[in-house]
Coordinates of all heavy atoms in Angstrom, one line a residue:
H25 N 4.6 -9.8 -2.7 CA 5.2 -8.5 -2.7 C 4.1 -7.4 -2.7 O 3.1 -7.6 -3.4 CB 6.0 -8.4 -4.0 CG 6.9 -7.2 -4.1 ND1 8.2 -7.3 -3.5 CD2 6.7 -6.0 -4.5 CE1 8.7 -6.1 -3.7 NE2 7.8 -5.3 -4.3
I26 N 4.2 -6.4 -1.8 CA 3.3 -5.4 -1.7 C 4.0 -4.1 -2.0 O 5.1 -3.8 -1.4 CB 2.6 -5.3 -0.3 CG1 1.9 -6.6 0.0 CG2 1.7 -4.1 -0.2 CD1 1.5 -6.7 1.5
A27 N 3.5 -3.2 -2.8 CA 4.1 -1.9 -3.1 C 3.1 -0.8 -3.1 O 1.9 -1.0 -3.5 CB 4.9 -1.9 -4.4
T28 N 3.5 0.4 -2.7 CA 2.6 1.6 -2.7 C 3.4 2.8 -3.3 O 4.6 2.8 -3.1 CB 2.0 1.9 -1.3 OG1 3.1 2.1 -0.4 CG2 1.1 0.9 -0.8
P29 N 2.7 3.7 -4.0 CA 3.4 4.8 -4.6 C 3.8 5.9 -3.6 O 3.1 6.1 -2.5 CB 2.4 5.4 -5.6 CG 1.1 5.0 -4.9 CD 1.3 3.7 -4.3
I30 N 4.8 6.6 -3.9 CA 5.2 7.8 -3.2 C 5.1 9.0 -4.2 O 5.7 8.9 -5.2 CB 6.7 7.7 -2.6 CG1 6.7 6.6 -1.6 CG2 7.1 9.0 -2.0 CD1 8.1 6.2 -1.1
F31 N 4.4 10.0 -3.8 CA 4.1 11.1 -4.6 C 5.0 12.3 -4.2 O 5.2 12.6 -3.0 CB 2.6 11.5 -4.6 CG 1.7 10.4 -5.0 CD1 1.1 9.6 -4.1 CD2 1.4 10.3 -6.3 CE1 0.2 8.6 -4.5 CE2 0.5 9.3 -6.8 CZ 0.0 8.4 -5.8
D32 N 5.4 13.2 -5.2 CA 6.0 14.4 -4.9 C 5.0 15.5 -4.8 O 3.8 15.3 -4.8 CB 7.1 14.7 -5.9 CG 6.6 15.1 -7.3 OD1 5.4 15.2 -7.5 OD2 7.4 15.3 -8.2
H33 N 5.5 16.7 -4.6 CA 4.7 17.9 -4.4 C 3.7 18.2 -5.6 O 2.7 18.9 -5.5 CB 5.5 19.2 -4.1 CG 6.4 19.6 -5.3 ND1 7.5 18.9 -5.6 CD2 6.3 20.6 -6.1 CE1 8.1 19.5 -6.6 NE2 7.3 20.5 -7.0
T34 N 4.1 17.7 -6.8 CA 3.2 17.9 -8.0 C 2.2 16.8 -8.1 O 1.3 16.8 -9.0 CB 4.1 18.0 -9.2 OG1 4.6 16.7 -9.5 CG2 5.1 19.0 -9.1
G35 N 2.3 15.7 -7.3 CA 1.4 14.6 -7.4 C 1.9 13.5 -8.3 O 1.2 12.5 -8.6
K36 N 3.1 13.7 -8.8 CA 3.7 12.7 -9.7 C 4.3 11.5 -8.8 O 4.9 11.8 -7.7 CB 4.8 13.3 -10.5 CG 5.6 12.4 -11.4 CD 6.7 13.1 -12.1 CE 7.5 12.1 -12.9 NZ 8.7 12.8 -13.5
V37 N 4.2 10.3 -9.2 CA 4.8 9.2 -8.5 C 6.3 9.2 -8.8 O 6.7 9.2 -9.9 CB 4.2 7.8 -9.0 CG1 5.0 6.7 -8.3 CG2 2.7 7.7 -8.7
V38 N 7.1 9.3 -7.7 CA 8.5 9.4 -7.8 C 9.3 8.2 -7.2 O 10.5 8.1 -7.5 CB 9.0 10.7 -7.2 CG1 8.5 12.0 -8.0 CG2 8.7 10.8 -5.7
A39 N 8.6 7.4 -6.5 CA 9.2 6.2 -5.9 C 8.1 5.3 -5.4 O 6.9 5.6 -5.5 CB 10.1 6.7 -4.7
T40 N 8.5 4.2 -4.9 CA 7.6 3.3 -4.3 C 8.2 2.8 -3.0 O 9.4 2.8 -2.8 CB 7.3 2.0 -5.1 OG1 8.5 1.3 -5.4 CG2 6.6 2.4 -6.4
L41 N 7.3 2.3 -2.1 CA 7.7 1.7 -0.8 C 7.1 0.3 -1.0 O 6.0 0.1 -1.3 CB 7.1 2.4 0.4 CG 7.5 1.9 1.7 CD1 9.0 2.1 2.0 CD2 6.7 2.8 2.8
S42 N 8.0 -0.7 -0.7 CA 7.5 -2.1 -0.9 C 8.1 -3.0 0.2 O 9.1 -2.7 0.9 CB 7.9 -2.6 -2.3 OG 9.3 -2.7 -2.4
V43 N 7.5 -4.1 0.3 CA 7.9 -5.2 1.2 C 7.6 -6.5 0.5 O 6.7 -6.7 -0.2 CB 7.2 -5.1 2.6 CG1 5.7 -5.4 2.5 CG2 7.8 -6.1 3.6
G44 N 8.5 -7.5 0.7 CA 8.3 -8.8 0.1 C 8.5 -9.9 1.2 O 9.2 -9.6 2.2
G45 N 8.0 -11.0 0.9 CA 8.2 -12.1 1.8 C 7.6 -13.4 1.3 O 7.0 -13.4 0.2
L46 N 7.7 -14.4 2.0 CA 7.1 -15.7 1.6 C 5.6 -15.7 1.7 O 5.1 -15.3 2.7 CB 7.7 -16.9 2.4 CG 9.2 -17.1 2.3 CD1 9.7 -18.1 3.3 CD2 9.6 -17.5 0.9
A47 N 4.9 -16.1 0.7 CA 3.5 -16.1 0.7 C 2.9 -16.9 1.9 O 1.9 -16.5 2.5 CB 2.9 -16.6 -0.6
E48 N 3.6 -18.0 2.2 CA 3.1 -18.8 3.3 C 3.2 -18.1 4.7 O 2.5 -18.5 5.6 CB 4.0 -20.1 3.4 CG 4.0 -21.0 2.2 CD 5.0 -20.5 1.1 OE1 6.1 -20.0 1.5 OE2 4.7 -20.7 -0.1
E49 N 4.0 -17.1 4.8 CA 4.2 -16.4 6.0 C 3.3 -15.1 6.2 O 3.2 -14.6 7.2 CB 5.7 -16.0 6.2 CG 6.5 -17.3 6.4 CD 8.0 -16.9 6.6 OE1 8.3 -15.8 6.7 OE2 8.8 -17.9 6.6
M50 N 2.7 -14.7 5.1 CA 1.9 -13.5 5.1 C 0.5 -13.8 4.5 O 0.4 -13.9 3.3 CB 2.5 -12.3 4.3 CG 3.8 -11.8 5.0 SD 4.2 -10.1 4.4 CE 4.4 -10.4 2.6
R51 N -0.4 -14.0 5.4 CA -1.8 -14.3 4.9 C -2.8 -13.6 5.8 O -2.5 -13.2 6.9 CB -2.1 -15.8 4.9 CG -1.2 -16.6 4.0 CD -1.5 -18.0 4.1 NE -0.6 -18.8 3.2 CZ -1.1 -19.6 2.2 NH1 -2.3 -19.8 2.1 NH2 -0.2 -20.2 1.5
G52 N -4.0 -13.4 5.2 CA -5.1 -12.9 6.0 C -4.9 -11.6 6.7 O -4.4 -10.6 6.1
E53 N -5.1 -11.5 8.0 CA -5.0 -10.3 8.8 C -3.6 -9.8 8.8 O -3.3 -8.6 8.8 CB -5.5 -10.5 10.2 CG -7.0 -10.7 10.3 CD -7.5 -10.9 11.7 OE1 -6.8 -10.6 12.6 OE2 -8.7 -11.3 11.8
E54 N -2.6 -10.7 8.9 CA -1.2 -10.4 8.9 C -0.8 -9.6 7.6 O -0.1 -8.6 7.6 CB -0.4 -11.6 9.1 CG 1.1 -11.3 9.4 CD 1.8 -12.6 9.8 OE1 1.5 -13.1 10.8 OE2 2.7 -12.9 9.0
L55 N -1.3 -10.2 6.5 CA -1.0 -9.5 5.2 C -1.6 -8.2 5.1 O -1.0 -7.2 4.6 CB -1.5 -10.4 4.1 CG -1.3 -10.0 2.6 CD1 0.2 -9.8 2.4 CD2 -1.9 -11.0 1.7
D56 N -2.9 -8.0 5.6 CA -3.6 -6.8 5.6 C -2.8 -5.7 6.5 O -2.7 -4.6 6.2 CB -5.0 -6.9 6.1 CG -5.9 -7.6 5.0 OD1 -5.4 -7.8 3.9 OD2 -7.0 -8.1 5.4
A57 N -2.3 -6.2 7.6 CA -1.6 -5.3 8.5 C -0.3 -4.8 7.9 O 0.0 -3.6 8.0 CB -1.2 -6.0 9.8
V58 N 0.4 -5.6 7.1 CA 1.6 -5.2 6.4 C 1.2 -4.2 5.3 O 1.8 -3.2 5.1 CB 2.3 -6.4 5.8 CG1 3.4 -6.0 4.8 CG2 2.9 -7.3 6.9
A59 N 0.1 -4.5 4.6 CA -0.4 -3.6 3.5 C -0.7 -2.2 4.1 O -0.4 -1.2 3.5 CB -1.6 -4.2 2.8
R60 N -1.4 -2.2 5.2 CA -1.8 -0.9 5.9 C -0.5 -0.2 6.3 O -0.4 1.1 6.1 CB -2.7 -1.1 7.1 CG -4.1 -1.5 6.7 CD -4.9 -1.6 8.0 NE -6.3 -2.0 7.7 CZ -6.7 -3.3 7.8 NH1 -5.8 -4.2 8.4 NH2 -7.9 -3.7 7.5
A61 N 0.5 -0.8 6.8 CA 1.7 -0.2 7.3 C 2.5 0.4 6.1 O 3.0 1.5 6.2 CB 2.6 -1.2 8.0
I62 N 2.5 -0.3 5.0 CA 3.2 0.2 3.8 C 2.4 1.4 3.2 O 3.0 2.4 2.9 CB 3.3 -0.9 2.7 CG1 4.3 -2.0 3.2 CG2 3.8 -0.4 1.4 CD1 5.7 -1.6 3.5
W63 N 1.1 1.3 3.2 CA 0.3 2.4 2.7 C 0.5 3.7 3.6 O 0.8 4.7 3.1 CB -1.2 2.0 2.8 CG -2.1 3.1 2.3 CD1 -2.5 3.4 1.1 CD2 -2.7 4.1 3.2 NE1 -3.3 4.5 1.1 CE2 -3.5 4.9 2.4 CE3 -2.7 4.3 4.5 CZ2 -4.2 6.0 2.9 CZ3 -3.4 5.4 5.1 CH2 -4.2 6.2 4.2
Y64 N 0.5 3.5 4.9 CA 0.7 4.6 5.8 C 2.1 5.2 5.6 O 2.3 6.4 5.6 CB 0.5 4.2 7.3 CG 0.7 5.3 8.2 CD1 -0.3 6.3 8.4 CD2 1.8 5.4 9.0 CE1 -0.2 7.3 9.3 CE2 2.0 6.5 9.9 CZ 1.0 7.4 10.0 OH 1.1 8.5 10.9
G65 N 3.1 4.3 5.5 CA 4.5 4.8 5.3 C 4.6 5.6 4.1 O 5.3 6.7 4.1
S66 N 4.1 5.1 3.0 CA 4.2 5.9 1.7 C 3.5 7.2 1.8 O 3.9 8.2 1.2 CB 3.8 5.1 0.5 OG 2.4 4.7 0.6
F67 N 2.3 7.2 2.5 CA 1.6 8.5 2.6 C 2.4 9.5 3.4 O 2.5 10.6 3.1 CB 0.3 8.2 3.4 CG -0.6 9.4 3.6 CD1 -1.2 10.0 2.6 CD2 -0.7 9.9 4.9 CE1 -2.0 11.1 2.8 CE2 -1.5 11.0 5.1 CZ -2.2 11.6 4.1
E68 N 3.0 9.0 4.5 CA 3.9 9.9 5.3 C 5.1 10.4 4.6 O 5.4 11.6 4.7 CB 4.3 9.2 6.6 CG 3.2 9.1 7.6 CD 2.6 10.4 8.0 OE1 3.4 11.4 8.4 OE2 1.3 10.6 8.0
I69 N 5.7 9.6 3.8 CA 6.9 10.0 3.1 C 6.4 11.0 2.0 O 7.1 12.1 1.8 CB 7.6 8.8 2.4 CG1 8.2 7.9 3.4 CG2 8.6 9.3 1.4 CD1 8.7 6.6 2.9
S70 N 5.3 10.8 1.4 CA 4.8 11.7 0.4 C 4.5 13.0 1.0 O 4.9 14.1 0.4 CB 3.5 11.1 -0.3 OG 3.8 9.9 -1.0
R71 N 3.9 13.1 2.2 CA 3.6 14.3 2.8 C 4.9 15.1 3.2 O 5.0 16.3 3.0 CB 2.9 14.1 4.2 CG 1.5 13.6 4.0 CD 0.6 14.8 3.8 NE -0.8 14.4 3.8 CZ -1.8 15.1 3.2 NH1 -1.5 16.2 2.6 NH2 -3.0 14.7 3.3
Q72 N 5.9 14.3 3.6 CA 7.2 15.0 4.0 C 7.9 15.6 2.8 O 8.7 16.5 3.0 CB 8.1 14.0 4.7 CG 7.6 13.6 6.0 CD 8.4 12.5 6.7 OE1 9.5 12.2 6.3 NE2 7.9 11.9 7.7
I73 N 7.6 15.1 1.6 CA 8.3 15.7 0.4 C 7.3 16.7 -0.4 O 7.6 17.0 -1.5 CB 8.9 14.7 -0.5 CG1 7.9 13.7 -1.1 CG2 10.0 13.9 0.2 CD1 8.4 12.7 -2.2
G74 N 6.2 17.0 0.3 CA 5.4 18.1 -0.2 C 4.1 17.7 -0.8 O 3.3 18.6 -1.3
Y75 N 3.7 16.4 -0.9 CA 2.4 16.0 -1.4 C 1.3 16.5 -0.5 O 1.4 16.2 0.7 CB 2.4 14.5 -1.6 CG 1.1 14.0 -2.2 CD1 0.8 14.3 -3.5 CD2 0.3 13.2 -1.5 CE1 -0.4 13.8 -4.1 CE2 -0.9 12.7 -2.0 CZ -1.2 13.0 -3.3 OH -2.4 12.6 -3.9
D76 N 0.3 17.1 -1.0 CA -0.8 17.6 -0.2 C -2.1 17.1 -0.6 O -3.2 17.5 -0.2 CB -0.8 19.1 -0.1 CG -1.1 19.8 -1.4 OD1 -1.2 19.1 -2.4 OD2 -1.2 21.0 -1.4
G77 N -2.1 16.0 -1.5 CA -3.4 15.4 -2.0 C -3.8 14.3 -1.0 O -3.3 14.2 0.1
T78 N -4.8 13.6 -1.5 CA -5.3 12.5 -0.6 C -4.8 11.1 -1.2 O -4.5 11.0 -2.4 CB -6.8 12.5 -0.6 OG1 -7.3 12.4 -1.9 CG2 -7.3 13.8 0.0
F79 N -4.8 10.1 -0.4 CA -4.5 8.8 -0.8 C -5.9 8.0 -0.8 O -6.6 8.1 0.1 CB -3.6 8.1 0.2 CG -2.2 8.1 -0.2 CD1 -1.5 9.3 -0.5 CD2 -1.4 7.0 -0.1 CE1 -0.2 9.3 -0.8 CE2 -0.1 7.0 -0.4 CZ 0.5 8.2 -0.8
K80 N -6.1 7.3 -1.9 CA -7.3 6.5 -2.0 C -7.0 5.1 -1.5 O -6.0 4.5 -2.0 CB -7.9 6.4 -3.4 CG -8.3 7.8 -3.9 CD -8.9 7.7 -5.3 CE -9.3 9.1 -5.7 NZ -9.7 9.1 -7.1
A81 N -7.7 4.7 -0.5 CA -7.5 3.3 0.0 C -7.9 2.3 -1.0 O -8.9 2.4 -1.7 CB -8.3 3.1 1.3
G82 N -7.0 1.3 -1.2 CA -7.3 0.3 -2.2 C -7.9 -1.0 -1.5 O -8.2 -0.9 -0.3
I83 N -8.0 -2.0 -2.3 CA -8.5 -3.3 -1.7 C -7.4 -3.9 -0.9 O -6.3 -3.9 -1.4 CB -9.0 -4.2 -2.9 CG1 -10.2 -3.6 -3.6 CG2 -9.3 -5.6 -2.3 CD1 -10.6 -4.4 -4.8
L84 N -7.7 -4.4 0.3 CA -6.7 -5.1 1.0 C -6.4 -6.4 0.4 O -7.2 -7.0 -0.3 CB -7.2 -5.3 2.5 CG -7.3 -4.1 3.3 CD1 -8.0 -4.4 4.6 CD2 -6.0 -3.4 3.6
P85 N -5.1 -6.9 0.6 CA -4.7 -8.1 -0.1 C -5.6 -9.3 0.1 O -5.9 -10.0 -0.8 CB -3.3 -8.4 0.4 CG -2.8 -7.0 0.8 CD -4.0 -6.3 1.3
S86 N -6.1 -9.5 1.4 CA -7.0 -10.6 1.6 C -8.3 -10.5 0.9 O -8.9 -11.5 0.4 CB -7.2 -10.8 3.1 OG -8.0 -9.7 3.6
E87 N -8.8 -9.3 0.7 CA -10.0 -9.1 -0.1 C -9.8 -9.4 -1.5 O -10.6 -10.0 -2.2 CB -10.5 -7.6 0.1 CG -10.9 -7.3 1.5 CD -11.2 -5.8 1.7 OE1 -10.7 -5.0 0.9 OE2 -11.7 -5.4 2.7
E88 N -8.6 -8.9 -2.0 CA -8.3 -9.2 -3.5 C -8.2 -10.7 -3.7 O -8.6 -11.2 -4.7 CB -7.0 -8.5 -3.8 CG -6.7 -8.6 -5.3 CD -5.5 -7.7 -5.7 OE1 -5.2 -6.8 -5.0 OE2 -4.9 -8.0 -6.7
L89 N -7.5 -11.4 -2.8 CA -7.4 -12.8 -2.9 C -8.7 -13.5 -2.9 O -8.9 -14.5 -3.7 CB -6.5 -13.4 -1.8 CG -5.0 -13.0 -1.9 CD1 -4.2 -13.5 -0.7 CD2 -4.3 -13.5 -3.2
T90 N -9.6 -13.0 -2.1 CA -11.0 -13.6 -2.1 C -11.7 -13.4 -3.4 O -12.3 -14.3 -4.0 CB -11.8 -13.0 -0.9 OG1 -11.2 -13.3 0.3 CG2 -13.2 -13.6 -0.9
L91 N -11.5 -12.2 -4.0 CA -12.2 -11.9 -5.3 C -11.6 -12.7 -6.4 O -12.3 -13.2 -7.2 CB -12.0 -10.4 -5.6 CG -12.7 -9.4 -4.7 CD1 -12.3 -8.0 -5.1 CD2 -14.2 -9.6 -4.8
V92 N -10.3 -12.9 -6.3 CA -9.6 -13.8 -7.3 C -10.1 -15.2 -7.2 O -10.4 -15.9 -8.2 CB -8.1 -13.7 -7.2 CG1 -7.4 -14.8 -8.1 CG2 -7.6 -12.3 -7.6
G93 N -10.2 -15.7 -6.0 CA -10.7 -17.0 -5.7 C -12.2 -17.2 -6.2 O -12.5 -18.3 -6.7
Q94 N -13.0 -16.2 -6.1 CA -14.4 -16.3 -6.5 C -14.5 -16.3 -8.0 O -15.4 -16.9 -8.6 CB -15.2 -15.1 -6.0 CG -15.4 -15.2 -4.5 CD -16.0 -13.9 -3.9 OE1 -16.2 -13.0 -4.6 NE2 -16.3 -13.9 -2.6
A95 N -13.5 -15.6 -8.7 CA -13.6 -15.5 -10.2 C -13.2 -16.9 -10.8 O -13.6 -17.1 -12.0 CB -12.7 -14.4 -10.7
A96 N -12.5 -17.7 -10.1 CA -12.0 -19.0 -10.7 C -13.1 -20.0 -10.8 O -14.1 -20.0 -10.3 CB -10.9 -19.5 -9.9

């Protein structure tokens, strides 16, 4: 499951945009592409409802999974 925040004109999180699917079907570059699409979509929705701040890019899912694997 991947989710990103949607901000209103005051910068408050008012909703989220998310997508879910089977882990076996979303891995690596495909998972990153979905994450980027969700991030872009939430950014655009936020802009349309008045948010004028910036979005900070987070760690892509494949990078996070690599970090989790290294910690084990």
Side-chain angles (χ1 to χ4, degrees):
H25 193 87
I26 301 169
T28 55
I30 296 174
F31 299 96
D32 70 5
H33 66 284
T34 67
K36 179 181 174 186
V37 176
V38 294
T40 61
L41 185 60
S42 67
V43 65
L46 297 174
E48 298 86 33
E49 295 179 5
M50 289 197 305
R51 293 179 183 236
E53 290 180 19
E54 191 172 294
L55 181 60
D56 289 346
V58 171
R60 284 186 188 100
I62 294 297
W63 177 88
Y64 181 77
S66 64
F67 179 72
E68 286 301 310
I69 293 168
S70 296
R71 289 276 189 204
Q72 290 175 15
I73 62 173
Y75 181 68
D76 62 358
T78 58
F79 265 48
K80 295 180 182 176
I83 296 174
L84 291 172
S86 65
E87 294 169 346
E88 186 172 338
L89 291 174
T90 299
L91 293 174
V92 169
Q94 291 173 356

